Amino acid sequence: MLSGDMAKPLLTCQNADGDLSSPASVGTAIGILGSGDFARSLATRLVDSGFKVIVGSRNPKRSMNLFPSSAEVMPQSDAVKKAEVIFVAVFRDHYTTLCELTDLLVGKILVDVSNNTEINHHKESNAEYLASLFPQCTIVKGFNVISAWTLQCGPRDGNKQVLISCDKQEAKAAVGAIARTMGFVPVDMGSLCAAREIENVPLRLLPFWRIPFLLALSLFICFYIYNFIRSVLHPFLMEHKNKFYKIPIELVNVTLPCVAYVMLSLVYLPGVLAAFFQLYYGTKYRRFPDWLDQWLQHRKQIGLVSFFCAAMHAVYSLCLPMRRSSRYLLLNDAFKQITAGKDNAWVDEEVWRMEVYVSFGIIALGLLSLLAVTSLPSIGNALNWREFSFIQSKLGFAALLVSTLHTLTFGWRRAFDGTQYKFYLPPTYTLTLLVPCAIILAKVVLFMPCVSRKLLRIRRGWEKGKCAQFTLSNARNPSYEYSHGEGTSIV
Amino acid sequence: MLSGDMAKPLLTCQNADGDLSSPASVGTAIGILGSGDFARSLATRLVDSGFKVIVGSRNPKRSMNLFPSSAEVMPQSDAVKKAEVIFVAVFRDHYTTLCELTDLLVGKILVDVSNNTEINHHKESNAEYLASLFPQCTIVKGFNVISAWTLQCGPRDGNKQVLISCDKQEAKAAVGAIARTMGFVPVDMGSLCAAREIENVPLRLLPFWRIPFLLALSLFICFYIYNFIRSVLHPFLMEHKNKFYKIPIELVNVTLPCVAYVMLSLVYLPGVLAAFFQLYYGTKYRRFPDWLDQWLQHRKQIGLVSFFCAAMHAVYSLCLPMRRSSRYLLLNDAFKQITAGKDNAWVDEEVWRMEVYVSFGIIALGLLSLLAVTSLPSIGNALNWREFSFIQSKLGFAALLVSTLHTLTFGWRRAFDGTQYKFYLPPTYTLTLLVPCAIILAKVVLFMPCVSRKLLRIRRGWEKGKCAQFTLSNARNPSYEYSHGEGTSIV
Amino acid sequence: MLSGDMAKPLLTCQNADGDLSSPASVGTAIGILGSGDFARSLATRLVDSGFKVIVGSRNPKRSMNLFPSSAEVMPQSDAVKKAEVIFVAVFRDHYTTLCELTDLLVGKILVDVSNNTEINHHKESNAEYLASLFPQCTIVKGFNVISAWTLQCGPRDGNKQVLISCDKQEAKAAVGAIARTMGFVPVDMGSLCAAREIENVPLRLLPFWRIPFLLALSLFICFYIYNFIRSVLHPFLMEHKNKFYKIPIELVNVTLPCVAYVMLSLVYLPGVLAAFFQLYYGTKYRRFPDWLDQWLQHRKQIGLVSFFCAAMHAVYSLCLPMRRSSRYLLLNDAFKQITAGKDNAWVDEEVWRMEVYVSFGIIALGLLSLLAVTSLPSIGNALNWREFSFIQSKLGFAALLVSTLHTLTFGWRRAFDGTQYKFYLPPTYTLTLLVPCAIILAKVVLFMPCVSRKLLRIRRGWEKGKCAQFTLSNARNPSYEYSHGEGTSIV
């Protein structure tokens, strides 16, 4: 049994305040309006976290059985009187039904937990609409990113964030404390106008992946058609050879590395552009143009799509010798060799070319896998800034270099061979080399002492035409070249 | 030096209360009974977190050197007087030795940190046994899931959860606050009867993986025997051909995809059954039968085992052409072709069949790898519900579809070829097609407007024979079909 | 509107104290000295977290525009008067410029957020240097591991730790509370002398990977040269055969498995040594020699490097049949076979050898991938101790066993074939077998009942020559064999 003296401080210690009436205290009354799935799961979780839950229902008798037994279910007007913080678990369309409670709600904190069914469905966010209906209440947006399921199970994996926004710091802090007591991690998103963004969060469908995916898809289609014309259509029209069997595997396998290689170069291009931008304007404080900013922020995703294409290219390549077509061609070659009486098929140049380019390909894939693994949140978070930039920038650039060598040795002398220009179209690999070679050249320029020294000065805060400022920024302020994306980037 | 006015609030601010006697305050006295490894590590951690540690030992002089110097070691009877919260770091078998302290312990909070050596070793949990010995104390179960090693190092990765259960909210909150101050994440597991479950946690051996693993193993054995009879035994008995060399690789390679494919279909079967269950009873509030519930909760693991088998199948397949056997067969074919004077070995149908089924196989593997990657906790946690269900349900079903195409094109017309029915046994691939095709058919039925509309209504809370309820449940309440498992599921 | 009664407790509830003047309270004044990038980002984050920010600048007018509008910028002497906790965001070289504020700073908490540009650059840490300049202040080291970028964005992924050290618990707790309010996870690193270590954290470059990487590199070089002599140089000098085409792929492919296999055995060797050490001294409380301790702590990294080499070996092997050289050799073999009139190339022993060793290789790779996946922090953290040790110790040892079988069946009878001893050098695989076979033998010895029982007793706390102690250590105290590394280890 707890002694009387102990009871009080214990009662409050988890909730970080010295006043029992504060909403975060164990045993504090929390109101809920609504009786849907979310309301029920919320009530369960609040009860489990030690709060006293008061549910306001328009039909208390019917709702009674839906809620945990320790939650008190009563008419809405009674419920709102008993709690200072009230969760509004009602559809936006039914907010107006609460207007009869206006007088009782004065001064209360209303937590809007609602979601929409479409992104930017309404002109104003649900929370702002609620605020306009109840100007004398403090509206807090929050908990909408948590599912009823997570509420019911409890946040066992300890990673669930609750995005909260509110115009009043105190109310925000109060709801944040409730979230923390429930086991969630409150994240302050600023004032109530952020509610729009918060309401869009659960409706987002991989927003950062859209552009990289579409980019990869369009590159794939372009290169595929180009390769189809050169490898299938040209032999069919010119030499009446049926090479259509190449469509499912061989064409895909020459297209994938093009996509992977171009995408990989697009990961490093914006960094180079940003460096030249900074050199040109002589400052790091000038904002990049929006397209460059967007590009810098998508580098991780572009890099991972590039890795996926490279890995698929590896699998396709490894499948080549197991196919029937490869077997039949080999048998036919054996037949030809024997009928020709040639006892040695060996072509030294061909052997060396293939040994070398396959070798570079494997090394590039190995480097890209390391980059991909360090892009995993749980690994990236364990790296400090220096390690992260070493891996993503140094190793990543090494991967680009080795990929370039892979492409060059694969191409060998074909670019200078007139017969390779089917329909006057140059071999595909020559097209893909353009951007990467430009980047490598630019990196060489940026690496020259005179340029690199100036860039370093700019990134340490030096500005053209201003006197030197000694500010504590080096070593910790990620230079814009590498850090503009999220913390865990493939670049 | 801290000014006097500052000192007090600072002293308490991390511990969220305004009373210095509260257990979570820096400087508060915490008692420990016992002097084993765990007691020592606990003392070290408590001292490092700013608590005053008082160790009760039956032989204080001998124990003195084992504990950090700032911990006070004294006889048990003295120690228990000085602290309100006391960790009992003693074996269950020695609980009775504490009975002499009964009077001194009245009203104290005792934290039972003990573990058992076997699951459900004793009839009642250690904590409940302790509670029965000291009815006038408040018993809290906790910290048993933390190892002495983690205690000593401190929870650097910030992920370590402390499961806590207790019948009194205040005591639970107090111990939770201590855990939080020590850097752990307290998780409320409810009342003391949960101690049994908590004590079993450190003894569990991958409980969620047992059924999927055994399922995969038995499927593997059945299919392996079936394939052995068809591919090795039949040629040996009927044609006196020695194909036993197929045992280590080829037989495994035809068995693995069967297991992977059937397991993948078993991931989607329970969702379909659940949908029909809900349609039949016209409500989502009726509990599923236990077997279905269990099945729904194991989908992630079943899916990952399926992916592992599929990946192994890919590696085995890629190894095929490098083997001696493949080389010898090719050489023999070349010999036959030349002695027959056939200048072209090409069989167009065979070429197309293989190009197409290998291609589908690679695509299916690519889709499954995406699913497997998003099953990683650190990635799954970063997805919102819509993204998660898009990947696991839409992409996962696409993987099932492509796998079905892979199987169909692999099988081609063999199902209709009488010579393939060795010992009247149909080709293996026809057997594996049964469940997946049933699921695809059922999905088509569920996708029909009339059915899907009714299902949607049910999942939004509509019930047969009841008037419509407008509850805030859509968009956030994961429908039962997809969410009944944990948050990070492969389905 | 908040009622007056509600306002006060709400105001404080997130900050866990009952006094508004406490630094962690929303609205509390926090001082910042400096106006660089870090100071600005810090100010932004503090303002966003609800603190009142007072910036002390030597040129307030110029600095004004650099800070968020709600931060007050004023002369340094005014600023330090208004805050109890002051962040010193100034370079170490400029600490002395603050000496003019000495009188005003008496009793304040100064947070040193500085970093160095090199590891152990100065004899004493920046924080200790600051402490020597301001003996009447309390110096707290912290926030240096956070980048300006993370400060600006806010710790969205919820994983960012702030390492804090200070000689006074109260000041540490105060700064810890500020960090927590800002959304970071404060980690107590002990007294101020830990500042040196904390200042080195952002400068570290994968310290745990250096030794394993160098080890793998030197093993690779040695084995590569050895294989080069045996497979390329010997045929060239003795038989005048040009095998130089083997350099890029085939030689790498025979070298990688040697590195992988030896590294894998080095993961298990220290555990065996530790067991014999404990058996020899008859106690687990005697410290291991430093080299063994270091080795035990690097096992995870050694294991992952081993896995990387094994995976690369798999990719190289799978590439073998697609190469031109393999094609040409096959065509030449076909030519020879036909001119010799041999209708069957089949060699049963060769077929079986290859089927079996490839099969073991795939299984070993599968086991190693499982180990690698469970080494991911987000997965390792979800396992309890028993599961972790089952996977890393049991499955890992199984992988070592299967790798040994892979090596033995690959080698077959070549070790006993005199012609294989080129330049009297034994086949490479015989060299790699030494350590693993020794480990397997040692494990067999340790598994014998008499030895294993003694070892178990020692690991439960029994000591040679002392009476039995019954301490609560089993099942939770990871025995030194397996746990001495971090929680998430491949072993």
Side-chain angles (χ1 to χ4, degrees), chain A residues 141-192:
Chain A
K141 180 78 209 181
F143 288 89
N144 63 311
V145 295
I146 302 293
S147 72
W149 177 253
T150 306
L151 277 172
Q152 214 153 27
C153 304
R156 278 259 195 128
D157 58 24
N159 230 0
K160 296 293 170 200
Q161 298 188 330
V162 172
L163 308 183
I164 292 173
S165 80
C166 176
D167 287 336
K168 293 205 180 142
Q169 282 298 341
E170 306 81 40
K172 199 193 293 183
V175 176
I178 294 171
R180 205 180 284 281
T181 304
M182 288 163 80
F184 296 102
V185 179
V187 176
D188 185 340
M189 296 291 286
S191 64
L192 197 63

Side-chain angles (χ1 to χ4, degrees), chain A residues 15-251:
Chain A
N15 312 291
D17 69 85
D19 190 313
L20 288 177
S21 69
S22 155
S25 291
V26 166
T28 306
I30 306 277
I32 297 176
L33 295 175
S35 56
D37 279 355
F38 193 78
R40 288 175 235 174
S41 301
L42 185 64
T44 309
R45 184 80 207 131
L46 284 167
V47 164
D48 287 352
S49 305
F51 292 100
K52 189 176 155 196
V53 174
I54 291 152
V55 178
S57 167
R58 274 187 290 176
N59 191 339
K61 273 180 198 159
R62 209 184 60 181
S63 304
M64 196 82 83
N65 305 320
L66 301 169
F67 285 89
S69 58
S70 51
E72 291 178 52
V73 183
M74 53 184 75
Q76 293 190 331
S77 49
D78 296 347
V80 297
K81 277 182 214 151
K82 298 202 173 176
E84 293 302 314
V85 174
I86 297 158
F87 286 83
V88 181
V90 181
F91 276 126
R92 178 193 176 109
D93 299 344
H94 299 73
Y95 283 174
T96 45
T97 64
L98 304 175
C99 284
E100 60 203 46
L101 307 167
T102 304
D103 293 341
L104 299 167
L105 289 172
V106 168
K108 308 272 181 179
I109 296 174
L110 301 185
V111 186
D112 183 308
V113 300
S114 67
N115 272 323
N116 291 317
T117 48
E118 285 169 45
I119 285 188
N120 296 333
H121 193 186
H122 302 282
K123 225 174 67 191
E124 60 188 350
S125 67
N126 296 352
E128 286 166 306
Y129 174 57
L130 189 65
S132 70
L133 293 177
F134 300 96
Q136 290 188 293
C137 299
T138 306
I139 309 295
V140 178
K141 180 78 209 181
F143 288 89
N144 63 311
V145 295
I146 302 293
S147 72
W149 177 253
T150 306
L151 277 172
Q152 214 153 27
C153 304
R156 278 259 195 128
D157 58 24
N159 230 0
K160 296 293 170 200
Q161 298 188 330
V162 172
L163 308 183
I164 292 173
S165 80
C166 176
D167 287 336
K168 293 205 180 142
Q169 282 298 341
E170 306 81 40
K172 199 193 293 183
V175 176
I178 294 171
R180 205 180 284 281
T181 304
M182 288 163 80
F184 296 102
V185 179
V187 176
D188 185 340
M189 296 291 286
S191 64
L192 197 63
C193 60
R196 188 180 198 75
E197 199 194 326
I198 297 177
E199 287 173 11
N200 283 338
V201 165
L203 298 170
R204 278 191 200 139
L205 189 55
L206 303 164
F208 269 85
W209 290 92
R210 199 157 303 182
I211 293 174
F213 174 75
L214 291 176
L215 190 64
L217 192 68
S218 39
L219 279 173
F220 185 88
I221 291 169
C222 293
F223 279 116
Y224 192 85
I225 292 171
Y226 189 87
N227 285 321
F228 177 78
I229 293 171
R230 274 178 46 86
S231 315
V232 177
L233 211 60
H234 183 269
F236 184 70
L237 295 177
M238 296 291 133
E239 308 166 45
H240 301 289
K241 279 186 190 160
N242 181 342
K243 302 264 187 190
F244 287 99
Y245 79 91
K246 288 188 172 180
I247 287 175
I249 294 193
E250 288 192 29
L251 276 189

